[in-house]
């Protein structure tokens, strides 16, 4: 007989489930199992079963429950060994069970064994044992009883023990080099446990080792903000030291050649709020290491590939090996620094040729732009060190993300990039046409090279440079929202009282176009734009706002004209001038920044437009919220546009404030989409089939409408007659893929299963498609609904399960296309097999 507590309460006799009685009987058994082989006083049992309002007949009800349990615990199978005895033992009851028959005991034994391996530095063995311990969990401890309102302290202690085991497991897997494999799981856990510093430190280290320094630092800022705002605490010393080590690219963070030689994070229990993150010196090689598992993720992705050929120049002298090696090390350092700064991943080198990938492991909307910007920065920094030739190519590739080591990409794209590099003149960056089309912040030579490709000349500031032109986009179905903004602006002018507006919406839905319509008629309006990657360390919006008032060269004179010569002008200049070239050490002078905006608004009603603040750093977000609380009585309207992920960082963003308004932009209606396409395609006659395909693909998104219209209007593009063959424009694909790649790893995998399971999917169908646990799939589908990837469509008439459909058919197609063809076919066969099962079997497998 076996007892399962790590999930819903379950008793098995010869692998057959044993029926249990009502809630009180199940609760009594659960509590006794939590204290197995120990006497539990009757008074303590009564308090556990009735936390309040104990009925007069409680003792009799407990006796009846115990009597029923004794019948349940009598084994009915052929093997009586392992059966449990429920004994009356003063002052209460004793449930005697074999420790090996209780999953909680087995979990605790494996956890201690894994920690023993961890303490000796045997990382692979520790990872295997701890993963085995965690695999015993089927859900929250005693999940069915917890649903009835039971909240025993023992449940919290076991939950914390599971979290500590997960942290130990992550530590072992980080030491084995499996940083790619665990990022998704870490992100999912931190969404639930945002205050655990050890988890956040492990995620920072994993991201850093994937070449994602910017994301790692963003995790630190988010963790610090949560601790300060919610608990009034600064991060612990260890987490602060880890942040500094990431900023300095400290060698102690790198994996050595042998991934089993370094102890990376502290061992042992973590407190619910804080546990230290420690980087410690190398330890000895384990005597008999267990072979580490190597899990490989394979996806089809749109990536930008950079190849850098750096031949030693005059700096290598006469070719002495040591001089050449010194040049090679400097080149490697520059390539690594510039690629990681802009969110790329260095894929290794062969001799003097270095490979970098952008869009791996996660897609960004401007991968091509960042690839060229990184290439130009590498060219400029190595001009006096080596003879550089650089090629950049953008297109589809099959990407492999191993659990250890660098990612790899295969396909003709790499050959194309190598040819571009070889044909590039010394000191030049040559890119393919697809890269040129996508890199909006880059200046190119007027004519393409005779041998193919385009030569990049320079790049402008990324802030706003990649913003597609808004003027040509028709203003459709946003009149109501514009009236709201105009009314708020009129109120600000009349009452001389600040107001703060947040415009939320998915990428391309028209947030910027709406605000531009308002600011086009304003006499004084400053714009600041945040970017995902750049040299401004997240201060771009504030720097742009100051630039809108005056260039930094003439800032002192402009401030003197605004407030007069004197101490105030000097103070404002000292606080604002540092934003000209902001670094990580910028001093946040909120009172001075606020005073500057108040002085400008005092002379003329001021609109401050902060664009894409979901990418702004925490200091900027803190300032905007502080401004709303302390701004004086001046006519100031602050409008911030953001994607919904801002609310994941700041769930309470302007919640409940009387001087704040939030506007959510929904997709255009069918008629609105048709109207916009009509405006964009005035000179093009289209068949009714193509019109229907376009409206379906656009899905109410103005950006998508613009990109599809541009594609269809291209005379080189044949008019396709159905949506099955209508290609997805690269820019649209980039936006959607970036949204999908923002999901935690396991949730994204469930979305991929759903994309091949059918038009309407249920937890059972998706679980069968991906061979996953149905309850975990049901939770993932709920999260995908919350994140607006899926929409609930009712319940299946046969199984009673909730059914979901994709919010946008393009999302389904883009997600399915990420899977290699063979894997896609296998999963579709599983989905079809599940659908063909008898209805009775489907009902038995109901998951949600």
């Amino acid at each position: 007989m076996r007892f399962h507590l790590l999930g819903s309460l379950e008793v098995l006799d010869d692998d057959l489930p044993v029926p249990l009685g009502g809630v009180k009987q199940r609760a009594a058994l659960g509590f006794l199992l939590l204290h197995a082989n120990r006497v539990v006083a009757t008074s303590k049992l009564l308090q556990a079963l009735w936390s309040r309002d104990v009925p007069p007949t409680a003792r009799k009800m407990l006796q009846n429950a115990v009597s029923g349990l004794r019948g349940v615990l009598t084994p009915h199978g052929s093997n009586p060994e392992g059966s449990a005895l429920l004994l009356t033992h003063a002052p209460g009851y004793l449930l005697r069970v074999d420790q090996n028959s209780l999953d909680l005991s087995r979990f605790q034994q494996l956890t201690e064994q894994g920690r023993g391996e961890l303490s000796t530095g045997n990382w692979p063995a520790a990872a295997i044992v701890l993963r085995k311990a965690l695999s015993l969990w089927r859900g929250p401890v005693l999940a069915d009883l917890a649903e009835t309102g039971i909240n025993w302290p023992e449940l919290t202690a076991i939950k914390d023990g599971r979290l500590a085991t997960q942290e130990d497991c992550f530590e072992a897997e980080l030491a084995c080099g499996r940083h790619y494999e665990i990022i998704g799981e870490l992100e999912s856990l931190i969404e639930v446990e945002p205050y655990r510093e050890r988890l956040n430190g492990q995620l920072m280290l994993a991201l850093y080792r994937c070449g994602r320094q910017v994301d790692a630092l963003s995790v630190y800022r988010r963790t610090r903000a949560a601790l300060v705002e919610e608990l009034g605490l600064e991060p612990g010393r260890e987490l602060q030291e880890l942040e500094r080590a990431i900023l300095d690219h400290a060698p102690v963070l790198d994996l050595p050649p042998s991934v089993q030689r370094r102890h990376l994070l502290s061992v042992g229990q973590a407190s619910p709020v804080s546990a230290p993150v420690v980087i410690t010196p190398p330890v000895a090689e384990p005597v008999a290491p267990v072979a580490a598992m190597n899990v490989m993720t394979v996806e089809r992705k749109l990536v930008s590939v950079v190849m850098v050929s750096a031949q030693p120049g005059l700096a290598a002298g006469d070719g002495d090996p040591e001089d050449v090696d010194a040049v090679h090390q400097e080149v490697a350092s520059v390539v690594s620094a510039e690629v990681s700064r802009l969110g790329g991943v260095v894929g290794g080198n062969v001799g003097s040729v270095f490979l970098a990938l952008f869009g791996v492991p996660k897609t960004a909307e401007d991968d091509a732009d960042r690839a060229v910007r990184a290439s130009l920065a590498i060219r400029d920094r190595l001009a006096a060190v080596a003879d550089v030739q650089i090629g950049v190519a953008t297109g589809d590739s099959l990407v492999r993300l191993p659990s250890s080591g660098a990612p790899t990409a295969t396909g003709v794209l790499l050959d194309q990039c190598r040819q571009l590099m070889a044909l590039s003149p010394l000191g030049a960056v040559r890119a393919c046409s697809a890269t040129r089309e996508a890199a909006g912040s880059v200046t190119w030579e007027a004519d393409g090279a005779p041998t193919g490709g385009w030569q990049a000349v320079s790049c402008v500031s990324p802030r706003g440079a990649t913003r597609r032109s808004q003027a040509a986009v028709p203003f459709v179905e946003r009149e109501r929202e514009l009236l709201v903004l105009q009314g708020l602006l009129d109120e600000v002018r009349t009452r001389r009282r600040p107001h703060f507006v947040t415009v939320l919406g998915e990428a391309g839905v028209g947030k910027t176009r709406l605000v531009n319509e308002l600011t086009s008629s304003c006499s004084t309006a400053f714009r600041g734009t945040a970017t995902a990657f750049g040299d401004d360390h997240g201060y771009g919006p504030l720097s742009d706002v100051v630039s809108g008032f005056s260039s930094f060269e003439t800032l002192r004179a402009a401030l003197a004209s605004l407030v007069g010569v004197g101490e105030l002008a000097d103070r404002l200049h000292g606080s604002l001038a540092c934003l000209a070239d902001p670094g990580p050490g910028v001093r946040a002078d909120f009172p001075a920044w606020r005073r500057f905006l108040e002085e400008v608004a005092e002379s003329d009603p001021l609109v401050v437009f902060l664009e894409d603040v979901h990418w702004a750093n925490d200091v900027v977000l803190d300032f905007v919220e502080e401004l709303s609380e302390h701004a004086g009585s001046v006519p100031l309207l602050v409008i911030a546009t953001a994607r919904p992920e801002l609310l994941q960082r700041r769930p309470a963003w302007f919640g409940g404030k009387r001087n704040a308004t939030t506007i959510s932009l929904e997709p255009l209606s069918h008629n609105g989409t048709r109207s916009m396409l009509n405006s964009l395609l005035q000179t093009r006659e289209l068949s009714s089939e193509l019109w229907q395909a376009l409206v379906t693909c656009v899905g109410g998104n103005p950006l998508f409408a613009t990109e599809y219209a541009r594609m269809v209007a291209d005379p080189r593009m044949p008019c396709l007659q159905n949506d099955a063959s209508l290609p997805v424009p690269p820019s649209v694909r980039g936006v959607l893929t970036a949204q999908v790649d923002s999901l935690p790893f396991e949730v994204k995998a469930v979305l991929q299963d759903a994309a091949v399971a059918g038009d309407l999917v249920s937890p059972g169908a998706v679980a069968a498609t991906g061979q996953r646990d149905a309850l975990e799939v049901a939770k993932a589908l709920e999260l995908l609904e919350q994140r607006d990837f899926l929409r609930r469509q009712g319940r299946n008439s046969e199984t009673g399960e909730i059914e979901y459909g994709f919010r946008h058919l393009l999302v389904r197609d883009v997600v399915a296309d990420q899977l290699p063809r063979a894997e896609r076919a296998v999963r579709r066969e599983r989905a079809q097999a599940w659908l063909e099962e008898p209805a009775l079997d489907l009902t038995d497998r109901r998951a949600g």
Side-chain angles (χ1 to χ4, degrees), residues 58-347:
R59 285 185 177 270
K60 180 63 177 177
M61 295 170 68
L62 176 59
Q63 291 170 359
N64 291 338
V66 169
S67 176
L69 285 175
R70 284 175 172 149
V72 167
L73 298 178
T74 302
H76 302 286
S78 58
N79 185 8
E81 294 184 7
S83 58
L85 291 176
L86 180 50
L87 307 174
T88 301
H89 195 299
Y93 299 95
L94 169 67
L95 180 59
R96 185 170 293 160
V97 299
D98 182 354
Q99 293 289 348
N100 291 326
S101 67
L102 187 60
D103 61 353
L104 176 59
S105 298
R106 181 62 177 154
F107 168 72
Q108 294 167 339
Q109 292 167 5
L110 288 171
T111 294
E112 290 307 311
Q113 181 185 344
R115 286 177 177 155
E117 300 286 2
L118 200 62
S119 65
T120 63
N122 194 351
W123 320 121
I128 291 173
V129 173
L130 292 171
R131 276 293 169 192
K132 186 175 181 181
L134 293 169
S135 70
L136 296 173
W137 286 76
R138 298 169 291 111
V141 60
L142 293 178
D144 54 335
L145 296 179
E147 284 293 324
T148 67
I150 286 176
N151 188 23
W152 299 325
E154 292 87 347
L155 303 186
T156 302
I158 294 170
K159 173 193 170 188
D160 290 340
R162 180 191 188 186
L163 282 169
T165 301
Q166 289 172 306
E167 290 171 334
D168 290 336
C169 185
F170 292 141
E171 176 187 338
E173 293 178 325
L174 278 169
C176 293
R178 302 177 195 163
H179 32 276
Y180 285 107
E181 181 182 349
I182 66 174
I183 283 178
E185 193 174 351
L186 278 166
E187 290 174 334
S188 298
L189 266 179
I190 289 172
E191 283 191 5
V192 181
E193 300 287 341
Y195 305 129
R196 291 185 77 96
E197 292 191 28
R198 191 181 181 198
L199 277 177
N200 282 282
Q202 289 170 328
L203 178 58
M204 289 167 63
L205 186 58
L207 290 167
Y208 176 81
R209 289 203 174 148
C210 292
R212 297 167 58 188
Q213 181 193 14
V214 174
D215 290 341
L217 295 173
S218 176
V219 170
Y220 176 81
R221 291 193 297 267
R222 185 175 67 235
T223 305
R224 179 185 177 278
L227 290 171
V228 170
E229 292 174 6
E230 303 298 331
L231 304 177
L233 299 173
E234 286 287 342
R237 176 177 55 83
E238 294 82 4
L239 200 64
Q240 294 182 35
E241 290 177 351
L242 178 60
E243 183 213 19
R244 284 194 291 271
I246 291 173
L247 285 168
D248 296 339
H249 292 278
V252 72
L253 301 179
D254 298 332
L255 274 174
S258 173
V259 296
Q260 296 153 352
R261 279 192 358 205
R262 184 168 289 173
H263 186 192
L264 294 168
L265 296 173
S266 61
V267 182
Q269 291 283 351
S271 69
V273 171
S274 174
V277 177
V278 180
I279 307 299
T280 60
V283 299
E285 186 83 26
V287 176
V290 178
M293 296 181 294
N294 187 21
V295 178
M296 182 81 71
T297 301
V298 183
E299 285 187 355
R300 296 169 60 100
K301 292 183 76 71
L302 180 67
V303 300
S304 290
V305 180
V306 175
M307 285 190 182
V308 181
S309 171
Q311 298 296 330
L314 296 176
D318 58 358
D320 182 87
E322 293 185 21
D323 294 335
V324 172
D325 182 69
V327 172
H328 180 82
Q329 294 301 323
E330 183 172 356
V331 170
S333 176
V334 168
V335 171
S336 176
E338 292 299 333
V339 169
S340 63
R341 179 176 66 87
L342 288 165
V345 176
V346 177

Side-chain angles (χ1 to χ4, degrees), residues 300 756 816-817 819-829:
R300 296 169 60 100
V756 299
D817 286 344
L819 296 170
R821 287 195 300 266
E823 178 64 22
R824 207 182 314 156
V826 168
R827 297 193 194 189
R828 280 180 174 151
E829 287 179 3

Side-chain angles (χ1 to χ4, degrees), residues 385-646:
V385 177
D387 296 326
V388 176
Q389 296 170 282
I390 303 178
V392 186
T394 300
D396 288 322
S397 182
L398 196 66
V399 174
R400 289 179 170 83
L401 302 174
S403 57
S404 61
T408 61
T410 58
V412 297
L413 186 66
L414 273 74
D415 294 327
Q416 182 186 6
C417 188
R418 179 181 55 80
Q419 292 169 1
L420 289 165
M421 177 192 69
L423 294 171
S424 175
L426 293 178
V429 176
R430 182 170 290 190
C432 67
S433 296
T435 302
R436 178 178 181 270
E437 177 70 21
S441 72
V442 179
T443 302
W444 304 87
E445 286 192 349
D447 299 319
T451 53
W454 297 81
Q455 192 160 313
V457 177
S458 62
C459 60
V460 297
S461 170
R463 295 199 297 273
T466 57
R467 178 73 53 194
R468 294 173 180 85
S469 173
Q470 299 285 334
V473 179
F475 191 73
V476 177
E477 287 192 343
R478 300 296 186 219
E479 291 80 8
R480 183 181 64 85
E481 291 84 357
L482 179 60
L483 286 174
V484 172
L485 291 179
Q486 290 171 336
L488 291 172
L489 180 57
D490 290 341
E491 186 173 317
V492 163
R493 285 172 177 153
T494 303
R495 299 190 177 186
R496 297 183 61 81
R497 183 183 299 166
H499 201 89
F500 296 79
V501 181
T502 305
V503 181
L504 291 173
E506 64 183 30
V509 79
K511 303 181 293 294
T512 298
R513 181 68 179 87
L514 169 64
V515 181
N516 282 347
E517 194 73 14
L518 175 76
T519 57
S520 62
S521 59
C522 297
S523 58
T524 307
F526 297 159
R527 177 196 299 263
T529 302
T531 58
F533 300 92
D535 301 322
D536 55 37
H537 297 278
Y539 289 95
L542 298 182
S543 181
D544 288 347
V545 166
V546 177
S547 297
F549 169 72
S550 166
S551 68
F552 283 96
E553 291 78 8
T554 61
L555 179 60
R556 184 180 295 277
L559 288 171
S561 175
L562 179 68
V563 300
V565 177
E567 181 181 347
L568 177 57
D570 292 340
R571 180 192 166 200
L572 293 180
H573 182 266
S575 297
L576 298 175
C578 62
L579 296 171
D581 186 20
V586 167
R587 185 175 67 91
D589 191 349
F590 287 4
W593 296 350
R594 181 177 71 248
R595 181 66 180 273
F596 162 67
L597 294 176
E598 289 173 344
E599 292 291 342
V600 176
E602 185 69 40
S603 60
D604 193 21
L606 172 63
V607 176
V608 176
F609 174 21
L610 301 177
E611 193 173 16
D612 292 339
V613 295
H614 53 278
W615 282 329
N617 66 17
D618 287 320
V619 175
V620 172
L621 297 180
D622 289 343
F623 171 61
V624 175
E625 292 194 293
E626 193 268 357
L627 182 64
S628 72
E629 296 172 358
H630 298 101
S633 297
V634 294
L636 171 65
L637 179 64
V638 178
I639 305 175
T641 63
R643 297 180 189 173
E645 46 261 44
L646 172 67

